[in-house]
């Protein structure tokens, strides 16, 4: 697969579980695009083991003997990466025609001596496509606008706006990471069945020295309530949400108020979203676990936030009491 079209030494890591048809489509697309020095597929214990196509030059297949979750699969794929840059992807999503342009943009940065730890890029969402529009959901686009990222194709935003960007969708596939940056900082995916990407996303922002942002739309994300994807799980696995949130909150101990504010808003919103989809008998347990999490991991955050965001400080206090 490596050829003269490769202008950035980039790996593609794809976890898969029982989705051979869509994965085969993605692998054909990746091969035709010519952006990747290596492609690593991690079969997370599919009922029928996935087989690479016969012309799979530059591709590597790893297999788990049982399903261990997408976070473990991505981490094992990351451990096998030899390329200096890596893009995680989901088997049922699609790359877009703008990805080669982004890869060329990043290669230009490197040739100019400007390294980066990761590059965040725009994505398109099937929910937006269904409305006959193209691009990100409005909540992400509003955060991009708030961070002042509506014009330039590629830029290095000041660190002051990183907390705003960190509140965007915590996906693992809307960023190109420097492989050594992840390894050197011990950053990977969480090992919960859901929200494993929260850890990678937030710890990446906290540890980075230089972040790039591209307005190119380089991924198309499919969201379907009728599919059997992990996104649609609504049972006790949703109670695992607090494991990645606790890990990030611990890392926030020495962070400034802007980071505390951003993560508090994100965490409360994420719990609310889980409450909206978890089966009703588990909602009381979810809210009780939330109160415990907030009292343990964010005990002093209301006091610290009182001077800059008193409304959020009060809201945190109420949620610690199981109110609101």
């Amino acid at each position: 697969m490596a050829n003269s079209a490769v202008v950035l030494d980039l790996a593609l890591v794809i976890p898969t579980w029982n989705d051979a048809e869509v994965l085969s489509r993605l692998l054909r697309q990746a091969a035709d695009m010519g952006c990747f020095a290596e492609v690593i597929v991690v079969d997370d214990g599919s009922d029928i083991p996935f087989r690479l196509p016969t012309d799979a030059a530059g591709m590597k297949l790893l297999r788990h003997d049982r399903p261990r979750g997408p976070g473990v699969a991505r981490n094992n794929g990351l451990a096998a990466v030899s390329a200096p840059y890596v893009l995680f992807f989901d088997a049922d999503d699609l790359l877009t025609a703008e990805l080669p342009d982004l890869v060329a943009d990043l290669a230009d940065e490197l040739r100019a001596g400007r390294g980066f730890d990761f590059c965040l890029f725009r994505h398109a969402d099937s929910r937006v496509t269904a409305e006959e529009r193209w691009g990100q959901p409005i909540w992400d686009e509003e955060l991009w606008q708030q961070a002042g990222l509506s014009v330039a194709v590629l830029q290095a935003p000041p660190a002051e706006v990183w907390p705003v960007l960190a509140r965007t969708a915590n996906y693992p596939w809307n960023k190109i990471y420097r492989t050594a940056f992840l390894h050197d900082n011990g950053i990977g995916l969480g090992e919960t069945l859901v929200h494993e990407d929260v850890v990678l996303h937030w710890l990446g922002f906290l540890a980075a020295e230089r972040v790039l942002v591209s307005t190119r739309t380089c991924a198309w994300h499919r969201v379907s309530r009728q599919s059997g994807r992990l996104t649609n799980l609504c049972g006790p696995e949703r109670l695992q949400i607090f494991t990645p949130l606790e890990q990030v909150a611990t890392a926030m101990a020495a962070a400034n108020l802007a980071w505390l504010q951003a993560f508090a808003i994100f965490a409360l919103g994420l719990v609310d979203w889980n409450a909206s989809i978890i089966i009703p008998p588990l909602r009381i347990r979810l809210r009780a676990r939330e109160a415990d999490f907030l009292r343990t991991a964010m005990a002093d955050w209301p006091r610290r936030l009182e001077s800059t965001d008193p409304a959020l400080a009060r809201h945190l206090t109420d949620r610690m009491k199981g109110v609101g």
Side-chain angles (χ1 to χ4, degrees), residues 123-141 220-223:
H123 70 278
D125 188 293
S126 64
R127 293 165 291 188
V128 177
T129 308
E131 299 172 354
E132 298 184 347
R133 295 184 293 113
W134 175 254
Q136 304 180 136
I138 189 62
W139 51 85
D140 264 9
E141 198 58 39
W220 184 84
H221 177 51
R222 177 175 175 267
V223 180

Side-chain angles (χ1 to χ4, degrees), residues 54-75:
T54 55
D55 58 346
M59 298 185 188
K60 178 186 296 185
L61 176 64
L62 308 178
R63 176 168 167 81
H64 295 163
D65 58 359
R66 59 180 175 81
R68 300 175 63 187
V72 175
R74 288 191 181 95
N75 286 340

Side-chain angles (χ1 to χ4, degrees), residues 70-220:
V72 175
R74 288 191 181 95
N75 286 340
N76 287 341
L78 175 62
V81 168
S82 59
Y85 294 89
V86 59
L87 170 64
F88 299 102
F89 223 70
D90 285 351
D92 61 336
D93 289 342
L94 289 172
L95 305 164
T96 77
E98 290 192 74
L99 179 63
D101 295 323
L102 173 59
V103 171
D105 294 340
L106 296 177
D108 287 343
E109 283 288 298
L110 296 180
R111 280 192 286 269
R114 297 187 294 266
F116 64 96
D117 293 319
F118 67 88
C119 176
L120 172 70
F121 54 80
R122 273 196 174 103
H123 70 278
D125 188 293
S126 64
R127 293 165 291 188
V128 177
T129 308
E131 299 172 354
E132 298 184 347
R133 295 184 293 113
W134 175 254
Q136 304 180 136
I138 189 62
W139 51 85
D140 264 9
E141 198 58 39
E142 288 176 347
L143 290 168
W144 278 65
Q145 299 288 337
Q146 184 179 337
L149 302 176
S150 59
V151 180
V153 171
L154 186 68
Q155 57 187 294
E160 303 88 79
V161 305
W162 294 5
V164 176
L165 292 173
R167 288 171 50 200
T168 58
N170 285 196
Y171 294 134
W173 42 256
N174 60 358
K175 307 168 199 73
I176 290 176
Y177 285 97
R178 184 167 60 86
T179 309
F181 163 72
L182 297 179
H183 289 321
D184 293 347
N185 288 281
I187 298 172
L189 284 295
E191 298 193 354
T192 53
L193 195 58
V194 295
H195 301 302
E196 78 289 346
D197 40 12
V198 168
V199 176
L200 174 72
H201 181 91
W202 284 88
L203 296 191
F205 268 105
L206 288 175
E209 294 184 2
R210 188 169 190 257
V211 172
L212 295 178
V213 176
S214 174
T215 56
R216 297 191 189 279
T217 300
C218 298
W220 184 84

Side-chain angles (χ1 to χ4, degrees), residues 22 33 43 57 98 111 129 134 147 163 172 185 212 222 236 244 248 257 272 285 291 309:
V22 291
M33 198 164 281
D43 183 348
E98 290 192 74
R111 280 192 286 269
T129 308
W134 175 254
N185 288 281
L212 295 178
R222 177 175 175 267
V248 176
L257 292 179
D272 286 344
R285 285 178 60 188
D309 194 338

